[in-house]
């Protein structure tokens, strides 16, 4: 009988691979992402696909934007993927492939992907991935898949993505992919909301660090004259 790995197992493996401390507000981001990926990895219906990979890399890159030191990001991402049984290299490669394909498409083509992409040779990897999902009756939908799908649509849009039009396109794609429409909508709304909240938290943290730095400099400036006064001999 196979032993099902636990969240604790994943966390232990992660921190064994990435041994440097993670900045406070980002630690929660990483651990929540890790839990989400782990629970999918132990679900019998879950199958890794390139849209999911794009969702993972996009979520990681956007939620970890501004992290310092930047040099730690590759190590954190590698540990995150490996801890849940994924290959970080494959994840990045699959995500990049879809990103490249999406930039050559239009939202209209994506809305009717099942017919519009059939004859587009360059879009074959995306078409194959979506077709496999559409014909998989037991496909395990996830928030990370939704983020990946949304990212494909973002990349296919030359200008800023119109949210109303995006919802229409995603609804059309959702129908042919047999996705839960309401859950898809709510997951993406929550994703955008969390990005906004994290951005605000980063600003608050940056302000706090700046205030702390100024206080420290002021204390040092006040101490300097006293330290330089010669003592009576």
């Amino acid at each position: 009988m196979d032993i099902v790995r636990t969240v604790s197992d994943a966390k232990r493996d992660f921190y064994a691979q990435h041994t440097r401390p993670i900045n406070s507000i980002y630690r929660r981001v990483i651990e929540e992402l890790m839990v989400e990926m782990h629970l999918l990895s132990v679900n019998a219906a879950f199958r890794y696909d390139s849209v999911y990979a794009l969702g993972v890399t996009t979520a990681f890159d956007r939620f970890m934007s501004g992290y310092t030191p930047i040099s730690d990001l590759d190590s954190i991402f590698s540990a995150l993927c490996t801890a849940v049984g994924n290959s970080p290299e494959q994840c990045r490669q699959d995500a990049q492939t879809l990103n490249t394909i999406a930039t050559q498409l239009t939202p209209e083509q994506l809305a009717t992907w099942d017919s519009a992409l059939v004859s587009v040779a360059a879009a074959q990897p995306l078409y194959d991935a979506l077709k496999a999902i559409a014909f998989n009756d037991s496909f395990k939908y996830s928030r990370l898949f939704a983020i990946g799908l949304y990212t494909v649509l973002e990349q296919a849009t030359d200008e800023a993505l119109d949210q109303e039009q995006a919802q229409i396109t995603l609804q059309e794609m959702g129908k042919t992919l047999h996705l839960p429409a309401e859950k898809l909508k709510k997951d993406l709304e929550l994703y955008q909301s969390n990005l906004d909240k994290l951005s605000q938290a980063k600003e608050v943290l940056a302000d706090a660090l700046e205030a702390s730095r100024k206080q420290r400099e002021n204390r040092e400036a006040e101490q300097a004259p006293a330290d330089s006064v010669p003592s009576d001999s």
Side-chain angles (χ1 to χ4, degrees):
M1 180 178 179
D2 293 336
I3 299 176
V4 178
R5 283 169 51 81
T6 65
V7 170
S8 295
D9 291 331
K11 287 185 177 181
R12 184 181 62 249
D13 288 352
F14 173 85
Y15 287 110
Q17 293 177 69
H18 181 76
T19 56
R20 287 175 57 83
I22 297 178
N23 294 349
S24 57
I25 64 172
Y26 294 95
R27 188 182 307 116
R28 181 177 177 182
V29 169
I30 288 298
E31 292 197 348
E32 287 183 353
L33 187 55
M34 190 191 316
V35 169
E36 185 173 4
M37 293 171 69
H38 168 75
L39 293 178
L40 285 170
S41 72
V42 297
N43 188 299
F46 174 74
R47 295 291 181 273
Y48 170 95
D49 62 75
S50 54
V51 180
Y52 165 81
L54 180 56
V56 169
T57 59
T58 300
F60 179 87
D61 291 343
R62 292 187 179 174
F63 283 120
M64 295 298 285
S65 174
Y67 184 86
T68 56
I70 296 177
S71 57
D72 278 4
L73 286 174
D74 285 344
S75 172
I76 295 173
F77 183 76
S78 179
L80 174 66
C81 291
T82 306
V84 297
N86 293 149
S87 162
E89 294 80 14
Q90 181 183 3
C91 210
R92 284 290 186 192
Q93 182 177 343
D94 289 343
Q96 183 56 51
T97 297
L98 288 201
N99 266 327
T100 301
I101 291 172
T103 59
Q104 304 172 51
L105 302 175
T106 66
E108 291 73 24
Q109 286 177 302
L110 291 175
T112 56
W113 67 270
D114 51 336
S115 58
L117 301 187
V118 173
S119 58
V120 182
Q124 196 66 41
L126 175 59
Y127 174 77
D128 289 344
L130 296 179
K131 182 179 178 181
I133 291 164
F135 283 89
N136 181 0
D137 293 335
S138 60
F139 171 69
K140 177 61 179 176
Y141 166 84
S142 69
R143 182 184 71 104
L144 290 169
F145 176 87
I147 294 173
L149 201 63
Y150 183 80
T151 305
V152 168
L153 182 55
E154 281 185 315
Q155 294 299 317
T157 307
D158 292 333
E159 302 175 354
L161 187 60
D162 178 85
Q163 292 303 313
E164 185 175 344
Q165 185 58 48
Q167 285 299 326
I168 294 173
T169 302
L170 289 169
Q171 285 176 11
E172 291 301 314
M173 296 184 75
K175 289 177 184 177
T176 52
L177 292 170
H178 313 297
L179 303 179
E182 193 59 29
K183 186 161 180 54
L184 176 64
K185 180 181 178 181
K186 288 183 177 179
D187 280 345
L188 291 175
E189 288 175 348
L190 181 60
Y191 166 61
Q192 294 291 346
S193 174
N194 286 342
L195 283 175
D196 291 340
K197 289 178 181 177
L198 184 61
S199 178
Q200 293 169 9
K202 290 176 185 177
E203 290 178 4
V204 171
L205 179 61
D207 290 343
L209 291 174
E210 179 64 15
S212 177
R213 183 185 66 80
K214 288 182 177 179
Q215 288 178 353
R216 184 174 65 254
E217 290 177 349
N218 289 338
R219 285 196 301 269
E220 292 173 352
E222 291 171 357
Q223 292 172 0
D227 293 342
S228 62
V229 174
S231 58
D232 295 334
S233 55

